[in-house]
Amino acid sequence: MEHSKKGRARRRNPMDPTVEGKRRATIMKRVYMARKRGERIQVTFDEKGQPEGKHGDELMSWIGVLAREHVPIWIQDWRSRDLDGLKEIIWKETVTSFTVEESFWNTCLKSCGEAARNFRYDLYKTFVEEFINEESVWTRPKKVIENYPNIEEEDWMKFVQYRTSSQFQQLSDRGSEIRTNNEYSSRGCRDGYRKLDQEMFKKTGKWERRDGLWLEQQMGPDGELKTPVCKKASELIVEYNTQESQCTFESVGTNDVLSHALSRPEHKGRVRGQSKFIKPSQYFNLSRSSNKDNEVQSMRREIEELKALVRGLCANRDVEQSVDPKNVPPVDQHNSFKASCSAQ
């Protein structure tokens, strides 16, 4: 792989047989040789639950291999319950080859789904998009047959049929619009946040906060931020960090330095500026009800601030309300208000 000045790998075309085929064959041989000996590759995880070292990289690459070999290229939704049987097969293949805990199950399948989606994207960009109006697009390309023999002719036709449909075109246009409006695009490589996080930990001996990792990912090969919005966010991050050190700003749960600097709420189920292995409950130290509790506390603080504001406004008013005696209705001296007895 080619590397930038900062040592980050730049992604090359996975359809190039000199790259993908060689890498695929090497990983398959290494893993299968271990399985033939009745051994499993020992994977270690850091204290944040991220696979580390050479064997950690092999694990993630192996999950990508399983995605390309087992997940049909014509599927549209990896979350479908119809794929539960396939997911069990992928998990069994993983634990047969690597030593991983049961808690890794969800992350394993999530990574497999992402790898399968990226593979379908590469197939579309390389073999379909430019030839979408040609009859030859319905026939499996020679490179696909050579490198991915598990993709049969029927699979390819289903794949092309969906990718040329109006349904896919609408989703594609929507995705393009979202990417266009995304002011903060990551410049990292494969497993970028995981490796960057572990590299910075080795240098400093402590885990970098997510605002620091996010800034590092936004930098170009020359170490500079390329866009004005990123530079503005960088200035705000520095400012909020300074305020936090002076106790004039407080990070509460997901309302921390990064979310304030970007002026964007957190997405459910993941943590911006961290790898996919880090869950919100883990990073923000939240229980299942903590997010709701934080919202309630925030609303209570706002209510108290509004009350204080109203009291201040009332205190500044010099006009006192008075009651005009002429406007008070007369009281019947002989009957009570409920007409239950006579007054003396």
Side-chain angles (χ1 to χ4, degrees), residues 19-268:
V19 177
E20 182 67 17
K22 181 178 179 180
R23 175 172 168 268
R24 173 178 176 272
T26 302
I27 295 173
M28 293 286 288
K29 181 179 179 181
R30 186 163 53 245
V31 175
Y32 276 122
M33 287 298 292
R35 293 177 60 163
K36 189 176 181 180
R37 296 191 300 267
E39 300 174 354
R40 293 193 299 169
I41 298 176
Q42 301 289 327
V43 181
T44 58
F45 292 80
D46 58 34
E47 60 186 80
K48 296 175 71 174
Q50 304 174 120
E52 59 182 355
K54 176 183 176 181
H55 292 167
D57 295 341
E58 290 177 348
L59 169 63
M60 300 311 299
S61 297
W62 174 249
I63 292 175
V65 170
L66 295 177
R68 292 189 291 273
E69 293 200 342
H70 290 282
V71 181
I73 59 174
W74 44 263
I75 69 167
Q76 301 177 22
D77 190 355
W78 176 244
R79 298 166 296 180
S80 173
R81 298 302 300 268
D82 297 335
L83 300 174
D84 286 353
L86 173 61
K87 293 175 183 179
E88 287 294 337
I89 294 174
I90 292 173
W91 174 246
K92 185 177 180 180
E93 287 285 335
T94 303
V95 297
T96 303
S97 306
F98 295 87
T99 57
V100 293
E101 299 292 335
E102 192 71 24
S103 57
F104 189 69
W105 183 86
N106 186 55
T107 304
C108 169
L109 296 180
K110 182 179 178 181
S111 300
C112 185
E114 292 176 353
R117 184 177 66 247
N118 292 335
F119 180 53
R120 295 193 297 271
Y121 175 82
D122 291 330
L123 287 174
Y124 173 74
K125 282 293 184 181
T126 307
F127 301 113
V128 177
E129 187 177 44
E130 295 183 7
F131 314 100
I132 199 167
N133 295 321
E134 299 181 13
E135 191 66 25
S136 60
V137 75
W138 296 92
T139 304
R140 278 183 305 168
K142 182 179 179 181
K143 288 184 179 180
V144 172
I145 297 175
E146 292 175 351
N147 290 282
Y148 308 101
N150 58 297
I151 300 178
E152 299 181 356
E153 197 70 37
E154 183 180 358
D155 297 325
W156 183 258
M157 292 186 68
K158 287 183 179 180
F159 172 71
V160 174
Q161 183 178 11
Y162 173 65
R163 293 283 165 157
T164 55
S165 66
S166 59
Q167 178 186 359
F168 173 77
Q169 191 58 48
Q170 291 175 359
L171 292 174
S172 179
D173 293 342
R174 181 183 176 188
S176 298
E177 182 181 355
I178 292 175
R179 287 190 297 272
T180 302
N181 296 330
N182 184 18
E183 299 175 327
Y184 310 104
S185 57
S186 175
R187 297 176 177 270
C189 59
R190 294 171 57 243
D191 287 335
Y193 274 119
R194 174 178 70 93
K195 290 190 174 183
L196 177 62
D197 197 11
Q198 292 170 345
E199 288 173 2
M200 296 185 73
F201 178 79
K202 289 180 180 179
K203 293 179 181 179
T204 63
K206 63 179 182 180
W207 296 108
E208 183 69 28
R209 297 201 328 178
R210 69 183 189 127
D211 49 284
L213 285 178
W214 183 87
L215 273 180
E216 188 70 18
Q217 279 284 64
Q218 295 295 323
M219 291 183 181
D222 56 357
E224 297 291 334
L225 296 170
K226 297 300 181 182
T227 62
V229 289
C230 287
K231 293 179 180 179
K232 178 62 177 178
S234 174
E235 295 172 357
L236 289 174
I237 287 174
V238 173
E239 179 181 344
Y240 282 124
N241 276 314
T242 302
Q243 293 180 13
E244 193 172 32
S245 64
Q246 297 173 350
C247 298
T248 56
F249 173 82
E250 181 182 6
S251 295
V252 180
T254 57
N255 298 318
D256 62 354
V257 170
L258 184 60
S259 62
H260 277 270
L262 302 183
S263 298
R264 291 184 178 182
E266 284 300 303
H267 292 282
K268 219 172 185 180

